[in-house]
Amino acid sequence: MPVRPVPGARVAFRRRHAVLEQCFEVSGRPLAESADSGARTALLSKSRVYRETHAELRRLDQGMTGDKPPERTKLEKTLDKLHDWPTSRRLARTDRLPAHVSVVDAALALGPRDNWWDNGVRGARFALMPGLPAAILGAWSDSVRGEAWQDTLMDLFGLPGTVLRVLWWVSTWVGAGFLLGALWRVLPGRRGAVKALPVAFAFALPVALDALSGWFVQEGTANLALYATTMLFVLTVTGIALDLDTFRTERRYWQSRLGLLLSVYQMRYYSLQVAYLIGQVIAVITIWKFFAEPSATPPASDK
């Protein structure tokens, strides 16, 4: 019998924040030990019932019950039964998900595919869509912005270097998306936008250190801040796309992907509009800060 390692601080942190590191109520084993393809299929099926039951409860609270109002007790019993672990051949049949982890949380934590490699490939594919305009933006800030375009045109390898710079940035965003998908099951958070934060922080940390050293030697750091914020944007979009792809089998039942996403996240259109407006404000402030006022950053040294 293999000896299990003694859990340390890193394992304790993961068990506190990662969904699949939470433990079953009866056996006490982590959810990750039973995270196979059968579990994902059953969780996706139960997630649909879970969301529909919660929708009925919301309509009941709002008085929208129709001719035959449902009984709250029956709806609550349905939700309680959904908490049973779907595939329990290796575990006790009475095992249940933790009280604070829903079947939707568990399904999203598994990702759209059955293993880390396939999740990583999906993440790389989804990162390509927002990564391409982000790569053009990064190349523009390096080779075209301000007076940089003059040096690019005067240099014999300026234009080919700009194209190579775009390809380099595209590979960077695709690699970041692959890393997000590969680490999907061990990252903290219940939604893709939250899972993207630690990966973006891992990329932003060396950028911040470089910016700090550049500040001491009076070198420009505006582009570094742009790279960090762009990385967060690309990974956030990729994380949301991975969540949506997890429930891709329900796509044919919805008129748009937006409706399916709202159902998975259990959000209302009002919440989405508020989040969209806040995102617009943040985007405007970011563009204004790093493009309209480049002189706000320390100028490059003349030495």
Side-chain angles (χ1 to χ4, degrees):
M1 177 180 293
V3 179
R4 298 184 63 183
V6 178
R10 181 179 64 86
V11 178
F13 176 82
R14 289 175 56 190
R15 287 191 175 182
R16 177 183 300 179
H17 298 279
V19 173
L20 293 183
E21 291 298 327
Q22 307 301 312
C23 297
F24 287 104
E25 290 185 352
V26 178
S27 65
R29 298 185 181 185
L31 303 183
E33 293 188 3
S34 189
D36 52 19
S37 58
R40 194 167 64 86
T41 302
L43 282 171
L44 290 175
S45 177
K46 288 195 171 188
S47 295
R48 183 175 178 85
V49 180
Y50 177 89
R51 285 150 37 212
E52 291 175 349
T53 305
H54 269 282
E56 290 187 30
L57 283 174
R58 286 196 299 269
R59 288 194 294 267
L60 182 62
D61 293 337
Q62 296 173 0
M64 304 168 58
T65 58
D67 297 333
K68 186 178 179 180
E71 297 182 10
R72 174 176 289 274
T73 303
K74 292 183 178 179
L75 296 178
E76 292 176 350
K77 287 183 178 179
T78 301
L79 292 175
D80 186 68
K81 291 180 180 179
L82 292 175
H83 233 57
D84 294 333
W85 185 243
T87 55
S88 54
R89 295 180 179 178
R90 292 175 295 178
L91 303 174
R93 289 189 176 182
T94 55
D95 241 331
R96 290 171 57 83
L97 292 171
H100 58 282
V101 176
S102 68
V103 289
V104 176
D105 296 334
L108 290 174
L110 293 176
R113 293 296 186 266
D114 295 332
N115 55 72
W116 68 270
W117 175 262
D118 291 339
N119 282 338
V121 172
R122 297 299 290 178
R125 291 183 58 182
F126 292 138
L128 182 60
M129 181 174 63
L132 185 58
I136 296 175
L137 177 63
W140 177 83
S141 63
D142 291 334
S143 304
V144 182
R145 179 191 179 194
E147 298 179 355
W149 66 273
Q150 299 177 359
D151 297 333
T152 300
L153 293 179
M154 293 178 61
D155 190 351
L156 180 62
F157 299 98
L159 294 179
T162 302
V163 176
L164 292 177
R165 191 170 284 109
V166 171
L167 296 177
W168 184 86
W169 278 116
V170 168
S171 63
T172 299
W173 307 134
V174 170
F178 178 85
L179 182 62
L180 175 63
L183 298 177
W184 189 262
R185 297 190 174 189
V186 299
L187 290 174
R190 301 173 186 270
R191 302 293 183 265
V194 179
K195 289 179 179 291
L197 292 177
V199 181
F201 177 78
F203 279 92
L205 183 59
V207 173
L209 295 177
D210 189 15
L212 183 62
S213 62
W215 184 81
F216 280 109
V217 297
Q218 295 184 346
E219 292 183 354
T221 59
N223 287 352
L224 296 180
L226 176 64
Y227 303 153
T229 54
T230 306
M231 174 65 73
L232 178 59
F233 171 77
V234 171
L235 290 178
T236 300
V237 174
T238 303
I240 295 175
L242 286 170
D243 283 342
L244 188 61
D245 191 50
T246 301
F247 289 86
R248 64 189 178 279
T249 56
E250 298 184 23
R251 175 64 183 88
R252 59 183 180 271
Y253 306 128
W254 297 86
Q255 294 182 352
S256 65
R257 290 183 175 86
L258 177 60
L260 176 58
L261 184 65
L262 291 174
S263 175
V264 171
Y265 286 173
Q266 296 183 331
M267 295 174 58
R268 300 182 180 181
Y269 284 97
Y270 178 78
S271 300
L272 183 66
Q273 289 174 356
V274 172
Y276 179 69
L277 290 176
I278 294 176
Q280 282 187 327
V281 172
I282 295 176
V284 170
I285 293 176
T286 303
I287 294 174
W288 174 77
K289 183 176 181 180
F290 294 113
F291 293 94
E293 294 188 356
S295 60
T297 58
S301 178
D302 296 330
K303 295 181 180 181

